[in-house]
Amino acid sequence: MTCKTAARRLSGLVLGSAMALVVASSAQAETKLKAIGYTSNLYMWGMEKAFFAGEFKDAGAGVISIDAVPHDVASLKGPEVLSMLQDGTLQLASQNISYMAGEDPRFEALDLAGVTLTNADAKKATDAYKPVLAKVMEEKFNTHLLGLAPLPSQVFWCRDKISALSDLKGKKIRIFNSTLADFVEGVGGTSVTIPFVEVIPALQRGVADCAVTGTSSGNTARWFEVTQAVYPMNVGWSMIYWAANKQVWDGLSPEAQKIMTEEYGKLEAAAWAAQIEQDTDALSCLSGGECKMGIPAKIDVVEISEADKEKGREIVRDYVLPGWAKRCGADCVTEWNATVGAALGIEAPLP
């Protein structure tokens, strides 16, 4: 039995058939759905759990309810979630959108390393490109997009002290998508792909010298116990999506669809605001400052020089945008330039 088959069977046991679980209104007034949420030990799942049990439950009372479990509790790793939504194994799910880039490079388009450095710019890009992704997900992957939001800034965690971007040259750096590999190539490092849960032992053994993850997720996972420095140049957001299987969505009543759209919109807005709070708190926690939500620690949080900021822009121009353009193709790049590029005032080169 393959891992993929095993995951599908386990998820079937946990969730049941998507179509069977959409309860017909003639049989029961309230439609009950099953959802796969985000990683159990990260703050996003905490937000989702509170949302499903609180605000959504109240708004959908008597019409629609959602029972959710984190993907890792359901023995899912994450990259397989889209295909399971597509074929109806899952009804509702959230997951990192860049995991889907192997299926279609447009799923990288909002998370290109170093392109959007602030929450405000990421929101501009997302608002511009969301209709494109919604269409791709519906027409190509049989899913209905419910929301998009960023996780905290993806930054470099290094086992040895560093003081500048140039110190990453020659180092083995853990990444989790192609656009990060492009950025690492630009700094002269070597990319290694390692699952999140395996990063700490990889850093301990020297399999990786540095690793990219979010400020908050690295703090929560106690990466500061195996690293001495954080280089906080933002190289992505690990953008997440919420989506429904299209047959499940189409089978909902207009009232249920309205509730879903409005309530997921509120969850999306809350997640955008939480990203800023989590980033600020995590970096303060890591530098020995005030720590309200994370775990207190004391490692070097390197100040990014103006020279390094300029070098980062050069890497985006010379490596990140051309690398993605080759993967996505001319039509895709033209579409991106007319949406994200126009919103941000930048342009990706045609391949």
Side-chain angles (χ1 to χ4, degrees):
M1 183 187 297
T2 66
C3 292
K4 186 173 182 179
T5 301
R8 288 178 184 277
R9 288 189 178 179
L10 178 58
S11 295
L13 291 172
V14 174
L15 302 173
S17 165
M19 304 316 299
L21 285 167
V22 180
V23 181
S25 58
S26 60
Q28 184 173 329
E30 185 177 78
T31 296
K32 297 182 178 181
L33 300 179
K34 299 283 187 178
I36 285 292
Y38 203 63
T39 314
S40 62
N41 66 344
L42 299 180
Y43 80 91
M44 185 56 69
W45 164 246
M47 292 185 66
E48 290 177 320
K49 184 178 181 180
F51 168 72
F52 292 128
E55 187 171 0
F56 188 89
K57 182 178 179 180
D58 293 341
V63 179
I64 186 168
S65 63
I66 296 174
D67 182 29
V69 295
H71 72 88
D72 51 322
V73 173
S75 299
L76 301 177
K77 294 182 178 180
E80 73 274 48
V81 165
L82 174 66
S83 63
M84 296 176 75
L85 273 174
Q86 183 178 6
D87 68 16
T89 304
L90 301 180
Q91 294 182 307
L92 300 166
S94 60
Q95 197 46 251
N96 297 96
I97 198 164
S98 65
Y99 282 160
M100 298 143 61
E103 301 287 338
D104 191 311
R106 284 174 290 189
F107 290 128
E108 279 184 289
L110 292 178
D111 223 1
L112 297 178
V115 170
T116 53
L117 300 178
T118 66
N119 181 287
D121 279 349
K123 189 66 168 64
K124 289 178 185 176
T126 301
D127 288 345
Y129 206 67
K130 194 174 183 178
V132 174
L133 291 180
K135 184 177 180 181
V136 172
M137 291 179 76
E138 180 169 327
E139 294 181 354
K140 189 174 178 180
F141 297 97
N142 193 42
T143 57
H144 177 81
L145 181 63
L146 290 164
L148 292 164
L151 294 177
S153 305
Q154 303 297 296
V155 298
F156 297 91
W157 299 67
C158 294
R159 54 183 292 181
D160 298 322
K161 289 184 181 293
I162 65 169
S163 59
L165 190 61
S166 59
D167 291 338
L168 297 175
K169 184 176 182 179
K171 294 192 182 300
K172 301 184 294 291
I173 302 173
R174 178 262 180 174
I175 53 93
F176 52 87
N177 60 36
S178 297
T179 187
L180 286 172
D182 292 334
F183 195 95
V184 168
E185 180 185 359
V187 301
T190 300
S191 295
V192 288
T193 302
I194 302 170
F196 181 84
V197 295
E198 298 175 14
V199 170
I200 286 180
L203 288 166
Q204 289 172 322
R205 297 195 307 267
V207 174
D209 301 307
C210 301
V212 176
T213 198
T215 55
S216 177
S217 52
N219 173 263
T220 303
R222 307 184 77 93
W223 281 20
F224 54 80
E225 294 180 350
V226 294
T227 57
Q228 296 187 57
V230 167
Y231 185 76
M233 177 172 280
N234 185 355
V235 287
W237 303 97
S238 197
M239 191 76 67
I240 69 165
Y241 66 90
W242 291 276
N245 169 271
K246 189 174 185 301
Q247 276 70 48
V248 170
W249 176 259
D250 290 344
L252 296 176
S253 68
E255 184 181 9
Q257 289 183 347
K258 181 174 184 291
I259 292 169
M260 290 276 285
T261 299
E262 291 177 351
E263 295 307 312
Y264 269 91
K266 294 175 184 177
L267 175 62
E268 180 185 58
W272 278 92
Q275 182 277 318
I276 298 173
E277 296 171 353
Q278 290 285 334
D279 249 358
T280 302
D281 185 71
L283 290 173
S284 180
C285 291
L286 291 169
S287 61
E290 184 179 15
C291 191
K292 296 179 179 179
M293 295 178 285
I295 301 172
K298 188 67 174 86
I299 61 175
D300 288 348
V301 177
V302 180
E303 185 175 350
I304 304 173
S305 67
E306 289 301 319
D308 276 2
K309 290 177 184 178
E310 178 57 34
K311 178 62 177 176
R313 289 189 285 268
E314 291 175 4
I315 291 171
V316 168
R317 182 193 67 209
D318 297 339
Y319 291 88
V320 173
L321 290 176
W324 175 74
K326 289 178 183 177
R327 292 190 292 275
C328 216
D331 290 344
C332 172
V333 172
T334 299
E335 184 178 57
W336 189 90
N337 284 335
T339 53
V340 177
L344 300 177
I346 59 177
E347 186 170 314
L350 291 173

